[in-house]
Amino acid sequence: MIYSITGELSYIGEQFLVVECSGVGFKCFTSVRTAATAGSIGQKIRLFTHLFVKEDALDLYGFSTENELNTFRLLISVSGVGPKAAIAILSQLEPDKLALAVAAGDVKAITRANGVGKKIAERIVLELKDKLSGVSSQEVRGVVDAASLVTEDSPAAEAVAALVALGFGRSEAAAAVGAMDQTIPADEMIRLGLRQLSRNL
């Protein structure tokens, strides 16, 4: 298994980068985020990689951080999610935002990725609920844990539904409500959530 590649960036494509190492150019498929932050042609870069073996090809996927690589590996472990879908999701949502969307059950955020339908997004939420918090950053982990506290048929769930109806994203609403005292009434959660989320606009 090729863990990482360090070399000169020789080409930036729409969905891939070419890294030249000792005269060999390695084509690495990647997310929009990694491609945008890779640097300029001729610059020395390092990509953390995953080699995907198919019957007719060996495809190399490269990422600027180990966190993004680990999230990619978790995504392709989900039944029905291939490397292309995983790349599309990581191009739409960075690992921390994906972890938050999964914790909050925010299927809609995941379906914004090109070619990812509702059924696949629901499967990602179901299968990765307890796994993605491990790859989220320390800073976001508490928010992810808070969002996962919001359970169905609770005042918190009612508050989240109300905030979503008011136009806020499910992920951010669940994170805001999850961080509150879970014993306060739903209307108080809505009021506090509105105040907090409005400050973030």
Side-chain angles (χ1 to χ4, degrees), residues 45-59:
I45 66 164
R46 182 184 188 193
L47 294 178
F48 296 94
T49 59
H50 177 86
L51 182 64
F52 190 79
V53 181
K54 298 191 291 188
E55 284 182 16
D56 56 349
L58 297 173
D59 289 335

Side-chain angles (χ1 to χ4, degrees), residues 142-143 145-150 156 172-182 184 189 192 196:
V143 179
D145 292 342
S148 65
L149 291 175
V150 178
E172 57 185 355
V177 171
M180 296 176 194
D181 177 354
Q182 298 298 296
I184 63 176
M189 287 182 175
L192 293 171
Q196 182 183 328

Side-chain angles (χ1 to χ4, degrees), residues 10-197:
S10 61
Y11 185 81
I12 303 173
E14 217 171 283
Q15 297 176 323
F16 67 91
L17 303 172
V18 177
V19 182
E20 194 165 318
C21 309
S22 304
V24 178
F26 290 89
K27 180 181 183 180
C28 299
F29 295 98
T30 193
S31 67
V32 169
R33 184 163 286 100
T34 288
T37 58
S40 52
I41 302 295
Q43 191 174 332
K44 186 177 180 181
I45 66 164
R46 182 184 188 193
L47 294 178
F48 296 94
T49 59
H50 177 86
L51 182 64
F52 190 79
V53 181
K54 298 191 291 188
E55 284 182 16
D56 56 349
L58 297 173
D59 289 335
L60 198 59
Y61 292 83
F63 305 94
S64 57
T65 66
E66 285 182 281
N67 193 22
E68 194 174 17
L69 169 64
N70 292 335
T71 305
F72 172 81
R73 286 179 172 160
L74 282 174
L75 282 167
I76 62 174
S77 74
V78 175
S79 174
V81 179
K84 286 184 180 177
I87 287 290
I89 292 166
L90 287 171
S91 293
Q92 181 69 36
L93 296 166
E94 61 190 54
D96 284 346
K97 287 184 179 174
L98 177 61
L100 183 54
V102 168
D106 193 352
V107 170
K108 190 176 179 182
I110 300 170
T111 58
R112 289 193 193 108
N114 191 27
V116 178
K118 188 180 177 187
K119 283 186 179 178
I120 291 292
E122 286 172 345
R123 197 174 298 147
I124 289 168
V125 168
L126 182 68
E127 292 188 29
L128 298 186
K129 193 103 177 171
D130 301 322
K131 297 177 182 176
L132 271 176
S133 60
V135 297
S136 55
S137 69
Q138 188 89 29
E139 187 182 326
V140 172
R141 204 164 292 144
V143 179
V144 169
D145 292 342
S148 65
L149 291 175
V150 178
T151 55
E152 288 181 32
D153 301 324
S154 65
E158 189 182 329
V160 169
L163 291 167
V164 169
L166 290 168
F168 296 102
R170 180 167 177 77
S171 301
E172 57 185 355
V177 171
M180 296 176 194
D181 177 354
Q182 298 298 296
T183 62
I184 63 176
D187 57 346
E188 180 68 5
M189 287 182 175
I190 295 166
R191 189 180 64 76
L192 293 171
L194 270 172
R195 185 190 300 168
Q196 182 183 328
L197 293 169

